[in-house]
Amino acid sequence: MTDDADGRGRADAPDDRVYYVISDLHIGGDEQLEEVEFMPELLAFFDRLATTDEDAELVINGDAFGLWEFTTAEGIEKFELLAQTYPELFAALRETGENVRITLLPGNHDHELAAYDEYIERFAAYNVDLVPEQSITRWVGGRVIHFEHGHQRDPNNRIADWGNPHSTPLGYYYNTLVTSRAGQLSDRGRYNWLKDVQAVTPTERMPVWILSKYFYREMSPLLRYSLVPFLLLFNVSALLAVGAGLDLAGVWSMPVERTAAFLDRFGRAGTAAWFLLVLNVAVAGLLSLVGIPLYFIRRDIRKTIDRFGVFETDLTVDAETPYVEAAEDVFAEHPETAIFCYGHTHRPTTRAVEGGLLVNTGTWLKRLHRRDGLIGILPPVFYPSYQLPAVRIAAEADGIAVEYERISKPSPSTEELTRTERILTLGREPEPTLPDRQFVGGQPDGEAGTAGGTDTV
């Protein structure tokens, strides 16, 4: 059986071929974005496929390369930059492609792959079959897998005129103006952290992430350590400020009296703590008095902005609903389709929907897990980890198995987090997991059921 342009032709390609799927590598970009921290793991993965005895195909499902983040080159010049910067990667592609078929689909960050025919020829020289289409399909186990990157379901990254290099959605400007600029400036910091801007999702977290990295990385250590006690005690100070107000008004003096009596037991240390609390109470009280009217003013301004529709497009969109709807449409229009496989959102997930299984292949980029402070008003800590997934799809006796293989890479927290950040996240380190093995029945009507410890769709 072979696959025609839309992937739905059946002829002579084996129905029991195994498919490995990865996406969202985002390799390349200006200056510091050139660094690929997972390159050893990626090369090892390719090396394994280069020696496998399986009849396999590797599908790279979009955003393999960060072409949007190259702002100093145009068109096919970007391929030359990639080949010169990552010779080991392209050598691995060539070697792997001699043993298994490699199919590359464009995403939004590398949409230019669909805009210049020269890319097809250049990648073919490295045994990579570049398919400049929005989607492809493959037959396995008597059913069909639908592959697409997923950005066409995202209004901020949808390419309105597919194949036109000048089609530039909102996401294009964000990445050329913000992400690529971050790559150019990252090495100027106390620590090379700004290049991780691509790992910040959703995008609306960007201001909080920058505030966090400024506080824990860029701020003068003397200033930071002098602020930590105040910020940790802010909540207590705010309560004491209320108590002090009640005491001055003659309404309730017990909170202030009890606190003073308690600290008095510790002598000079208690006196120092009392002085610090008094200072905090004064500041907290002032901020509370100013913050209350500012809150109502901010809320009124936001309502006015909403009425005028100034911000009609959010940078962050629903990461699930558009793909559920798209999958249901594909399953309804093509009942032979059992799996809708996409990337783009960087969230490795599986979900049973009407007619089949929705599969997201995640990302190989670093992932940042937000950990808010348990007390006080310290900035949140963004804890780094890697979750390098490769999805394996293969026919079995009664259907199709979908499994996530996690390629191990240690968290860089020791090198990237300050001592303060590590203390604040002690015992709260993230433990990201990948979806369990899924099984899709071979019957084309897509009836659902459950068998044993494996989810069956």
Side-chain angles (χ1 to χ4, degrees), residues 20-22 45-46 49 56-60 96 100-103:
Y20 289 90
V21 195
I22 60 176
F45 174 66
F46 284 150
L49 291 182
E57 177 176 349
L58 171 64
V59 177
I60 306 177
T96 304
V100 302
R101 179 179 179 182
I102 302 177
T103 300

Side-chain angles (χ1 to χ4, degrees), residues 302-319:
R302 187 170 184 84
K303 286 182 178 178
T304 303
I305 290 174
D306 289 341
R307 283 200 305 272
F308 282 96
V310 174
F311 300 115
E312 292 183 349
T313 301
D314 294 327
L315 283 174
T316 301
V317 297
D318 190 333

Side-chain angles (χ1 to χ4, degrees), residues 19 136-140 143-147 337 339 341 393:
Y19 294 92
I136 60 171
T137 58
R138 295 289 187 265
W139 286 85
V140 63
R143 305 294 299 278
V144 167
I145 313 168
H146 172 97
F147 294 103
T337 304
I339 298 171
C341 187
I393 305 174

Side-chain angles (χ1 to χ4, degrees), residues 118 136 238 245 286 361 391 394 403:
E118 294 93 330
I136 60 171
L286 180 62
T361 45
V391 176
E403 298 179 81

Side-chain angles (χ1 to χ4, degrees), residues 406-417:
R406 180 171 185 170
I407 298 166
S408 179
K409 183 174 179 62
S411 168
S413 57
T414 303
E415 299 81 22
E416 296 187 2
L417 296 182

Side-chain angles (χ1 to χ4, degrees), residues 165-444:
H166 305 295
S167 184
T168 50
L170 178 62
Y172 168 82
Y173 295 103
Y174 176 82
N175 284 281
T176 55
L177 298 176
V178 177
T179 306
S180 64
R181 186 60 176 163
Q184 296 166 14
L185 299 176
S186 186
D187 63 345
R188 299 185 186 182
R190 294 179 185 269
Y191 173 79
N192 193 5
W193 57 269
L194 195 56
K195 61 182 175 57
D196 291 334
V197 64
Q198 297 178 95
V200 182
T201 57
T203 310
E204 64 212 23
R205 284 186 174 179
M206 185 69 65
V208 179
W209 176 69
I210 290 177
L211 172 64
S212 171
K213 301 314 290 184
Y214 164 72
F215 183 81
Y216 294 112
R217 274 292 178 186
E218 298 297 331
M219 181 181 285
S220 164
L222 180 62
L223 179 59
R224 179 171 62 251
Y225 289 127
S226 64
L227 283 175
V228 164
F230 167 74
L231 296 175
L232 281 173
L233 294 171
F234 182 84
N235 293 344
V236 175
S237 301
L239 291 175
L240 283 176
V242 174
L246 295 175
D247 185 29
L248 289 173
V251 176
W252 192 26
S253 60
M254 187 268 286
V256 175
E257 292 175 354
R258 290 285 180 87
T259 302
F262 175 76
L263 293 176
D264 191 50
R265 299 176 184 177
F266 299 95
R268 292 183 179 180
T271 301
W274 176 251
F275 176 78
L276 180 62
L277 276 175
V278 169
L279 182 61
N280 278 9
V281 165
V283 176
L286 180 62
L287 290 177
S288 298
L289 288 174
V290 174
I292 291 172
L294 285 179
Y295 168 78
F296 288 104
I297 292 172
R298 176 181 176 274
R299 190 173 70 168
D300 190 70
I301 290 174
R302 187 170 184 84
K303 286 182 178 178
T304 303
I305 290 174
D306 289 341
R307 283 200 305 272
F308 282 96
V310 174
F311 300 115
E312 292 183 349
T313 301
D314 294 327
L315 283 174
T316 301
V317 297
D318 190 333
E320 293 188 10
T321 303
Y323 302 99
V324 171
E325 294 174 349
E328 290 176 342
D329 289 343
V330 169
F331 295 148
E333 185 176 353
H334 303 283
E336 71 277 12
T337 304
I339 298 171
F340 184 103
C341 187
Y342 71 108
H344 185 57
T345 67
H346 296 189
R347 303 178 184 185
T349 53
T350 58
R351 178 171 176 174
V353 301
E354 185 175 353
L357 183 68
L358 192 64
V359 177
N360 186 286
T361 45
T363 181
W364 284 48
L365 289 175
K366 184 184 298 174
R367 302 197 70 190
L368 301 176
H369 309 267
R370 177 171 172 163
R371 292 292 182 266
D372 291 315
L374 296 176
I375 58 174
I377 56 171
L378 285 167
V381 175
F382 287 83
Y383 198 99
S385 74
Y386 287 99
Q387 194 176 26
L388 312 180
V391 176
R392 184 181 186 273
I393 305 174
E396 293 192 353
D398 299 319
I400 309 163
V402 178
E403 298 179 81
Y404 283 78
E405 176 185 346
R406 180 171 185 170
I407 298 166
S408 179
K409 183 174 179 62
S411 168
S413 57
T414 303
E415 299 81 22
E416 296 187 2
L417 296 182
T418 61
R419 183 179 294 105
T420 304
E421 289 175 294
R422 294 198 298 273
I423 292 173
L424 292 174
T425 55
L426 192 64
R428 298 195 297 145
E429 299 87 349
E431 296 181 2
T433 59
L434 291 172
D436 294 332
R437 182 180 188 270
Q438 303 289 323
F439 188 81
V440 183
Q443 66 274 19

Side-chain angles (χ1 to χ4, degrees), residues 7-75:
R8 303 197 179 276
R10 300 192 66 171
D12 56 1
D15 196 44
D16 58 351
R17 175 171 286 168
V18 176
Y19 294 92
Y20 289 90
V21 195
I22 60 176
S23 71
D24 296 273
L25 308 177
H26 294 268
I27 295 172
D30 288 344
E31 298 189 26
Q32 298 302 307
L33 296 180
E34 286 185 358
E35 183 180 357
V36 181
E37 295 172 330
F38 54 81
M39 186 61 78
E41 292 78 14
L42 182 61
L43 294 177
F45 174 66
F46 284 150
D47 183 60
R48 198 185 77 199
L49 291 182
T51 57
T52 183
D53 293 329
E54 295 178 315
D55 179 4
E57 177 176 349
L58 171 64
V59 177
I60 306 177
N61 201 14
D63 280 0
F65 303 102
L67 300 188
W68 272 355
E69 288 75 34
F70 280 118
T71 60
T72 59
E74 295 291 336

